[in-house]
Amino acid sequence: MSEYVIGIDFGTSRSGFAYSFKGDPNQTIYGKEEWIDYKTNTSILIKKNKAGSYKDGAQLEEVVQFGNESLITYWELVNTNKGELYEAFVFYKMALYTSKNVTRALSGRKFQTVDVITLSLKHLKHFSISHMKTKITQKISLKKIHWVVTVPAIWSEKAKVMMKIACKNAGFVPDINDPNLSLIHEPEAAALEGFYSSNPDVKKRIYKNGKVLILDAGSGTIDITVLKIDFKNSKKNKKKKKSTPRIQVIIPAKGGSFGSYLIDQQFLSFLYKFLQNGNFENSPDFIELFEKWKNEKHKTVMKYKNDHNTIGFRIDGTLYKKKSLRQLIKDWNKNKDSDDIKYIRQNKHNEIRLKKCFLYSLFKDPVNKVVETCNSVIEEYKTKLKHLNTILMIGSYSNSEILFKKMRKHFKINNISVVVGTHPGRSIVMGAVRYGLTPQVIKSRTYEYNYGLRWDPKFNEKIHKKIKRYKIRSSYLCKDVYKPLIKKNVSIPVDKEISYEMGSVGQNLNLEIFRTKKKLEDGKVYYIDDDGFEYFGRVIIENIKASRDKPVKIITKFIFGQTTITVKVINTVTDQNYKDAIVSFEKIN
């Protein structure tokens, strides 16, 4: 039985931890106060076991630094010709979203994504446990820690499994299906924290109709989901007058990889054109410049569309090469008379002065993408979302005044209030801890796809295609039939088990899973090679033990409604339980 809960928010641009003690009646949540919102930058400096690339056998060994200082140290090493044994990584979480097995270091060399994330999680594990030791005196056992790791709701099952594998490799738990490891979708975690940390008036206003659209606006991804929340007092809590939320996820997660990093890309694009130097990002001075940009982009920079006040950005000599700063400004301002908002001037502190309205213009397309996506979700599910009147914004991007004002103005027409959650930057990591303390609050989830199995039943000439018939021994079977497991857009209770029984399968089990967004009619026969069906994954179990007296009988239990789709495989003859059963997402041709 776990005694502690540690939440890990591994983000695209910032990562951190929070924790609580299960015996604490107040459920106080702690974090590293020195880090803004309990988080630091997701950038890492790693030492290798020898010089060279991953293909040359140079394995990543240990974390030297994690956070903003890691990049400064790396470029100092590179510029003094001492960087060959080191690799630095930024923005590597996005490799999981795109299901890439490798990620590129700043050197340009490629390394295994899981290896880089594993070392990052090891660092966060070390820091979280060390920080927790400052609050208690007794020895902390790893076996008594319940780890809750946040993941974007729009991530694929493959990405979530890769995150579980990284957690296992980092030493969180001995097995990816260990009960002391949980994943929680980021918007769900934020909704939990929003409930627990809001004052009663705010809580009532946000959740008065029970449905709330959660817009998790992060730096990498935008996650949109809608929760139905019931706060009725349970029988046990009536005397204490406490309410426990009961959360149902009523639509599948939507969104994409268009977080605030798109605005960063707009700013970088401007710098490439202005500096006329394709390698300016390799300078330690760029890190200071970019930190200045990140601090400004969600603050006063965005106040007014027509604001011609200026913001200064220091441009050090290492950022440009062939021309002086004065000449670069002259080159840029040439032919800018017709577009004076982009006009640049210089001050005596070696700064360029950019008009706020110019910086505002960098937000236009990225912000519109978020608003349009929220609007399309509400339109797509307008029947289910009838009476929706609140959008709760969380995540670091929610600090953007431009995004908030644009959202509020757009949805005011539909009588939908847009509110920013309490501490939007730390709400996810704190919500992860809340979930570890009260996991039963999530009651059900929905899926965007129908899921089913590849099945070969007995051939029935009345319902099956003749072309699908084949003979095995003395029986005729029908190949490629789709056997449904769950339907899309239907509420699936957490831990919903659906069993599939197989007879004699030899020593190996190979069960293929398919999915489709098509609307399927009950009782109609579908085939996995019909239009709209796609391969999802397979359950593979090897070396199945048989009994001399009885034929092998294998029951595969698919568990839906959790953050990930999990599988249990049981040999009913030998009582063998295959704990390592997972879905492999690599298709075998």
Side-chain angles (χ1 to χ4, degrees):
M1 180 109 181
S2 58
E3 296 180 3
Y4 323 104
V5 175
I6 298 179
I8 300 290
D9 181 6
F10 179 67
T12 303
S13 64
R14 298 172 70 224
S15 298
F17 64 87
Y19 59 90
S20 186
F21 306 101
K22 285 195 172 181
D24 179 7
N26 298 318
Q27 295 189 352
T28 306
I29 295 177
Y30 306 91
K32 193 172 177 64
E33 295 288 351
E34 298 91 328
W35 292 353
I36 298 173
D37 291 329
Y38 299 161
K39 293 187 286 187
T40 186
N41 286 353
T42 308
S43 55
I44 190 168
L45 176 63
I46 304 174
K47 187 175 181 180
K48 299 185 290 186
N49 63 352
K50 67 176 183 178
S53 66
Y54 190 90
K55 290 182 179 179
D56 297 331
Q59 305 291 319
L60 299 170
E61 282 197 313
E62 60 178 303
V63 178
V64 179
Q65 283 180 327
F66 188 91
N68 194 43
E69 291 182 358
S70 63
L71 300 185
I72 296 173
T73 303
Y74 174 70
W75 290 122
E76 287 174 349
L77 289 166
V78 169
N79 291 331
T80 54
N81 297 317
K82 297 178 182 178
E84 191 60 25
L85 275 174
Y86 300 88
E87 295 289 353
F89 299 84
V90 294
F91 218 62
Y92 46 98
K93 177 186 176 182
M94 290 300 288
L96 286 186
Y97 173 71
T98 54
S99 297
K100 291 180 180 177
N101 293 327
V102 294
T103 189
R104 194 182 295 273
L106 292 182
S107 67
R109 291 183 282 264
K110 294 180 180 179
F111 292 85
Q112 293 292 322
T113 302
V114 169
D115 290 352
V116 181
I117 292 176
T118 293
L119 288 171
S120 302
L121 292 174
K122 273 187 177 180
H123 167 87
L124 291 170
K125 170 190 164 190
H126 167 73
F127 265 84
S128 60
I129 293 175
S130 296
H131 198 278
M132 192 162 62
K133 285 179 179 178
T134 65
K135 304 294 181 184
I136 56 176
T137 56
Q138 67 262 39
K139 187 177 180 181
I140 298 172
S141 169
L142 277 175
K143 294 180 180 179
K144 293 185 178 181
I145 298 175
H146 183 180
W147 299 92
V148 182
V149 181
T150 67
V151 293
I154 59 170
W155 264 13
S156 68
E157 290 295 317
K158 179 179 180 179
K160 293 175 196 173
V161 169
M162 287 177 70
M163 179 58 85
K164 278 189 166 185
I165 291 171
C167 289
K168 170 183 172 290
N169 294 345
F172 286 14
V173 289
D175 176 74
I176 67 167
N177 292 323
D178 192 288
N180 273 342
L181 173 64
S182 298
L183 301 186
I184 178 70
H185 291 147
E186 290 166 1
E188 297 169 11
L192 272 175
E193 179 56 24
F195 170 76
Y196 281 104
S197 63
S198 297
N199 65 54
D201 291 336
V202 173
K203 196 183 300 182
K204 185 177 180 180
R205 180 161 55 90
I206 293 177
Y207 302 116
K208 63 182 177 182
N209 279 337
K211 293 177 185 176
V212 56
L213 185 148
I214 308 293
L215 170 60
D216 175 14
S219 58
T221 57
I222 296 294
D223 266 356
I224 300 167
T225 192
V226 179
L227 309 180
K228 183 178 179 182
I229 308 178
D230 177 12
F231 295 129
K232 292 180 181 179
N233 292 340
S234 66
K235 292 180 180 179
K236 292 181 180 179
N237 287 331
K238 274 185 178 179
K239 292 182 179 180
K240 298 179 181 179
K241 295 184 179 181
K242 288 185 178 180
S243 57
T244 301
R246 296 165 58 87
I247 297 176
Q248 298 177 46
V249 184
I250 61 175
I251 71 165
K254 301 288 184 177
S257 57
F258 45 92
S260 64
Y261 87 97
L262 289 184
I263 306 166
D264 297 338
Q265 295 301 311
Q266 298 269 49
F267 184 67
L268 289 175
S269 178
F270 153 70
L271 289 177
Y272 274 111
K273 293 174 184 176
F274 170 71
L275 295 171
Q276 301 176 36
N277 173 19
N279 294 317
F280 72 86
E281 290 184 75
N282 296 350
S283 165
D285 293 321
F286 165 70
I287 298 167
E288 183 179 342
L289 169 63
F290 201 62
E291 282 301 304
K292 167 78 170 177
W293 157 252
K294 288 195 295 184
N295 288 334
E296 291 293 341
K297 73 176 179 179
H298 293 328
K299 288 188 196 175
T300 55
V301 175
M302 300 349 125
K303 273 195 173 179
Y304 304 105
K305 188 174 181 179
N306 60 348
D307 193 344
H308 283 255
N309 290 325
T310 59
I311 293 291
F313 291 92
R314 181 176 173 80
I315 305 294
D316 289 283
T318 59
L319 297 174
Y320 51 93
K321 293 181 178 179
K322 298 178 181 178
K323 298 181 180 181
S324 67
L325 184 58
R326 185 178 298 274
Q327 185 60 47
L328 290 173
I329 292 173
K330 187 176 180 180
D331 290 349
W332 177 265
N333 289 335
K334 195 185 301 179
N335 302 321
K336 289 290 185 297
D337 294 338
S338 60
D339 192 3
D340 69 326
I341 69 166
K342 295 183 180 179
Y343 192 85
I344 298 174
R345 63 182 177 85
Q346 181 180 3
N347 66 13
K348 62 182 180 181
H349 302 296
N350 219 35
E351 287 184 339
I352 58 171
R353 304 295 302 185
L354 300 177
K355 291 180 180 178
K356 292 182 181 180
C357 50
F358 167 52
L359 295 177
Y360 180 97
S361 70
L362 305 181
F363 277 65
K364 182 179 178 181
D365 291 339
V367 164
N368 284 344
K369 178 71 172 173
V370 177
V371 176
E372 289 165 5
T373 304
C374 285
N375 193 66
S376 66
V377 169
I378 292 172
E379 281 296 310
E380 182 181 355
Y381 294 95
K382 57 185 175 184
T383 302
K384 275 192 171 186
L385 303 187
K386 192 176 181 180
H387 304 307
L388 173 74
N389 60 16
T390 304
I391 294 175
L392 176 63
M393 293 176 58
I394 50 94
S396 58
Y397 196 0
S398 297
N399 290 314
S400 165
E401 190 169 350
I402 283 186
L403 178 60
F404 170 67
K405 286 186 174 181
K406 186 78 173 180
M407 288 284 295
R408 187 176 62 179
K409 181 179 179 181
H410 181 88
F411 290 102
K412 186 177 181 180
I413 302 170
N414 300 323
N415 295 316
I416 297 176
S417 299
V418 177
V419 295
V420 177
T422 307
H423 304 302
R426 69 171 66 170
S427 60
I428 292 173
V429 70
M430 293 181 71
V433 178
R434 302 285 185 198
Y435 180 69
L437 295 170
T438 55
Q440 68 276 9
V441 299
I442 307 290
K443 296 300 177 183
S444 65
R445 294 184 173 92
T446 56
Y447 292 87
E448 190 174 12
Y449 291 86
N450 303 287
Y451 287 88
L453 303 174
R454 182 178 194 157
W455 185 40
D456 289 9
K458 287 185 178 180
F459 184 80
N460 184 336
E461 61 182 11
K462 293 181 180 180
I463 59 173
H464 293 143
K465 295 179 181 179
K466 286 186 178 180
I467 196 172
K468 295 291 185 180
R469 187 180 73 167
Y470 72 99
K471 189 175 183 179
I472 183 168
R473 299 188 183 92
S474 60
S475 301
Y476 284 99
L477 303 179
C478 185
K479 65 180 180 179
D480 298 336
V481 174
Y482 173 82
K483 182 177 179 62
L485 293 173
I486 63 163
K487 291 182 178 181
K488 70 173 188 174
N489 294 328
V490 173
S491 180
I492 305 295
V494 170
D495 294 333
K496 170 73 173 178
E497 283 192 3
I498 300 175
S499 297
Y500 179 71
E501 186 176 305
M502 298 179 70
S504 179
V505 292
Q507 288 188 323
N508 301 322
L509 168 69
N510 186 351
L511 199 57
E512 292 183 313
I513 309 166
F514 286 78
R515 66 182 186 179
T516 181
K517 289 184 179 181
K518 289 177 64 172
K519 186 176 181 180
L520 304 181
E521 298 177 24
D522 291 338
K524 185 176 178 179
V525 177
Y526 294 92
Y527 300 88
I528 54 94
D529 52 3
D530 287 344
D531 289 342
F533 285 80
E534 65 183 37
Y535 175 84
F536 174 72
R538 66 176 67 224
V539 181
I540 301 173
I541 299 293
E542 298 178 340
N543 301 318
I544 295 173
K545 294 179 180 179
S547 170
R548 292 182 180 181
D549 304 323
K550 300 178 182 178
V552 173
K553 188 180 290 185
I554 300 293
I555 293 179
T556 305
K557 294 183 178 181
F558 296 89
I559 298 95
F560 291 94
Q562 298 177 340
T563 310
T564 56
I565 299 172
T566 56
V567 179
K568 294 179 182 177
V569 180
I570 302 168
N571 186 332
T572 60
V573 176
T574 63
D575 291 328
Q576 188 177 5
N577 191 339
Y578 302 91
K579 293 181 180 179
D580 294 328
I582 64 170
V583 177
S584 169
F585 299 94
E586 308 302 328
K587 191 169 184 178
I588 300 173
N589 296 320

